[in-house]
Amino acid sequence: MKEIELIATAAAGVESVVKHEVKKLGFKDITVDNGKIMFKGDISSIPRANLWLRTADRVLLKMGEFEALTFEELFDKTYALPWDQWITSDGKFTVLGKSVKSKLFSISDCQAIVKKAVVEKLKSKYHVEWFEESGPEYTIQVALHKDIATLTIDTSGTALHKRGYRAKNVEAPIKETLASAMILISYWNKRKPLWDCFCGSGTIPIEAALIGRNIAPGLNRTFASEEWPAIGKDIWKQERALALRAIDHDIKLKIYGSDINPDAIELAKENACLAGVDDCIEFFVSDFRNVNIKEDYGVIICNPPYGERIGEQQEVETINKDMGKTFSKYDTWSKYIITPFENFERLYGKKADKKRKFYNGNIKVDYYQYFGPKPTNT
């Protein structure tokens, strides 16, 4: 099969991190748009991108892009695309849609037109009138923006932040993809200590351990496109084997995760075991004010409580003030704190060296970055 074009979708503010990851994986012709990183590769790029991208939300296969001002135009141009190269005669497919600033604004009508066009194309290619839909699953998306339709097939299935290491089906306060972005943006590397003092179920320490050991984040899960004959199970096996060989089993990491909640720490330990990094992280129960880590030139990365319930605001303000006092003891460390509080710097007692906007789910947050000194050679 000839060269293919893929789109890695990303949360707002994370695009540059995803672009860096895509480049590091060796993909070419990389371009960035709002929430999208486009790149080209061959058929093995689909498993490689899904297995390795830590900060992307999904990997989409781009089928085509064209102007569509009428439903007839949308039907004809969708029909012209090579759907039969990817979707099998027994394939089960659904169509999702979105439309922004376009003449074709009815999403349900756009979905119906695209579905009909794909069905008609498959009928003509497979010479059948009825499809069993008992085979592999394909999720097609039609995205209209300023009258330009982009048609894709989702290669990931479940979103990429679902790594497969959660012991219990409980949503973490921060997505794994955002946690990875926070780590990759920071000055942390595998030779430095890392401490998350509000670790909860362990997302930030676990993601750091996966990065430190060079473990592909998708190794513990499956993907929709694993069942696609157009790719084949052998290519998926080869890419998984390459990812397994890339793991650094010998690296000694110093990663600490603490939390005041004993139940959270127990869950974090379970999650770390499932992720295969329990020997890389020291989890312990403690109020962050009482912790004393001896190493120099470490990195603190944390997601402190937001105080979403009534009556918690005062407690959270106190935590933010006490972070400033407690973290000042770690004068050779860099500190990275994500929070929605716009007056965080005033409470913390120091202006950040750098600030970056993200979204943690639907919550607008700032990532405050305080850079420590460079290590001395003495």
Side-chain angles (χ1 to χ4, degrees):
M1 192 177 285
K2 62 178 184 177
E3 187 177 64
I4 58 173
E5 188 167 356
L6 297 170
I7 300 171
T9 62
V14 182
E15 294 96 339
S16 63
V17 191
V18 178
K19 181 188 175 183
H20 180 75
E21 283 197 275
V22 168
K23 191 175 179 182
K24 195 176 172 185
L25 286 171
F27 298 124
K28 56 184 180 177
D29 297 334
I30 305 166
T31 55
V32 180
D33 198 1
N34 277 344
K36 296 189 297 185
I37 297 81
M38 286 77 72
F39 57 98
K40 291 179 180 173
D42 58 18
I43 197 76
S44 65
S45 304
I46 293 175
R48 193 175 310 138
N50 275 296
L51 286 167
W52 280 103
L53 288 178
R54 299 181 190 278
T55 59
D57 291 334
R58 293 179 182 279
V59 178
L60 309 177
L61 170 67
K62 185 176 174 182
M63 295 297 293
E65 191 169 81
F66 50 78
E67 186 179 57
L69 300 172
T70 66
F71 287 127
E72 184 180 12
E73 201 172 11
L74 180 62
F75 179 92
D76 290 343
K77 290 179 178 178
T78 299
Y79 183 91
L81 298 174
W83 299 103
D84 55 293
Q85 287 184 14
W86 295 95
I87 301 176
T88 56
S89 58
D90 63 348
K92 178 184 178 183
F93 71 91
T94 54
V95 180
L96 305 178
K98 56 184 177 180
S99 180
V100 179
K101 298 177 182 176
S102 298
K103 287 185 174 64
L104 302 181
F105 58 84
S106 170
I107 294 168
S108 58
D109 286 338
C110 291
Q111 288 172 263
I113 293 290
V114 167
K115 175 117 185 177
K116 186 180 178 186
V118 176
V119 167
E120 291 303 317
K121 180 62 172 275
L122 296 178
K123 277 182 182 180
S124 72
K125 289 291 181 178
Y126 293 125
H127 308 293
V128 293
E129 285 299 314
W130 180 78
F131 294 96
E132 198 174 285
E133 294 197 63
S134 59
E137 294 193 11
Y138 305 84
T139 302
I140 296 169
Q141 185 178 87
V142 51
L144 284 140
H145 182 249
K146 294 182 179 177
D147 299 320
I148 302 297
T150 305
L151 278 93
T152 57
I153 308 177
D154 181 4
T155 73
S156 302
T158 306
L160 294 182
H161 77 274
K162 299 280 190 181
R163 312 290 207 216
Y165 63 65
R166 294 227 164 268
K168 293 174 184 168
N169 193 21
V170 178
E171 282 295 321
I174 194 164
K175 278 186 178 177
E176 292 81 348
T177 43
L178 181 54
S180 274
M182 290 163 60
I183 296 160
L184 293 172
I185 288 165
S186 79
Y187 282 172
W188 182 74
N189 63 56
K190 58 190 178 183
R191 292 177 297 280
K192 290 183 177 181
L194 182 146
W195 174 36
D196 177 5
C197 52
F198 305 99
C199 76
S201 58
T203 306
I204 292 172
I206 290 168
E207 290 296 317
L210 293 175
I211 292 167
R213 273 222 169 136
N214 200 37
I215 299 173
L219 269 177
N220 269 355
R221 54 160 287 174
T222 57
F223 303 89
S225 52
E226 284 188 69
E227 301 301 317
W228 297 0
I231 301 173
K233 292 192 181 293
D234 284 348
I235 290 175
W236 271 98
K237 282 179 185 173
Q238 287 166 20
E239 289 300 323
R240 282 188 180 276
L242 287 170
L244 284 167
R245 285 203 291 275
I247 297 171
D248 184 349
H249 294 283
D250 300 322
I251 189 74
K252 302 297 180 192
L253 300 171
K254 292 179 180 179
I255 300 174
Y256 305 96
S258 64
D259 200 284
I260 202 165
N261 181 348
D263 293 335
I265 291 297
E266 284 307 306
L267 187 54
K269 288 177 179 177
E270 286 183 63
N271 290 336
C273 281
L274 288 173
V277 293
D278 50 306
D279 59 330
C280 300
I281 309 166
E282 185 182 329
F283 286 113
F284 54 94
V285 179
S286 179
D287 186 310
F288 74 95
R289 302 168 185 92
N290 303 328
V291 177
N292 188 19
I293 297 172
K294 300 294 185 186
E295 285 102 346
D296 287 329
Y297 303 106
V299 176
I300 295 169
I301 304 178
C302 63
N303 177 36
Y306 295 175
E308 291 159 333
R309 294 192 197 92
I310 295 168
E312 289 181 340
Q313 195 71 24
Q314 186 62 50
E315 183 187 343
V316 169
E317 286 190 6
T318 302
I319 287 172
N320 289 338
K321 287 177 185 174
D322 289 349
M323 269 196 288
K325 295 171 191 170
T326 303
F327 291 177
S328 65
K329 294 188 302 185
Y330 297 88
D331 55 349
T332 62
W333 286 50
S334 296
K335 297 101 179 176
Y336 298 83
I337 302 133
I338 195 166
T339 176
F341 288 103
E342 292 184 4
N343 64 343
F344 171 78
E345 287 165 307
R346 182 178 61 78
L347 293 166
Y348 185 80
K350 188 178 179 184
K351 188 171 172 58
D353 295 305
K354 198 170 182 181
K355 193 166 77 165
R356 190 164 180 156
K357 289 193 184 302
F358 288 130
Y359 278 88
N360 185 9
N362 294 321
I363 303 170
K364 183 182 167 188
V365 292
D366 283 300
Y367 191 37
Y368 295 92
Q369 303 167 58
Y370 296 89
F371 306 140
K374 288 184 178 178
T376 59
N377 294 321
T378 54

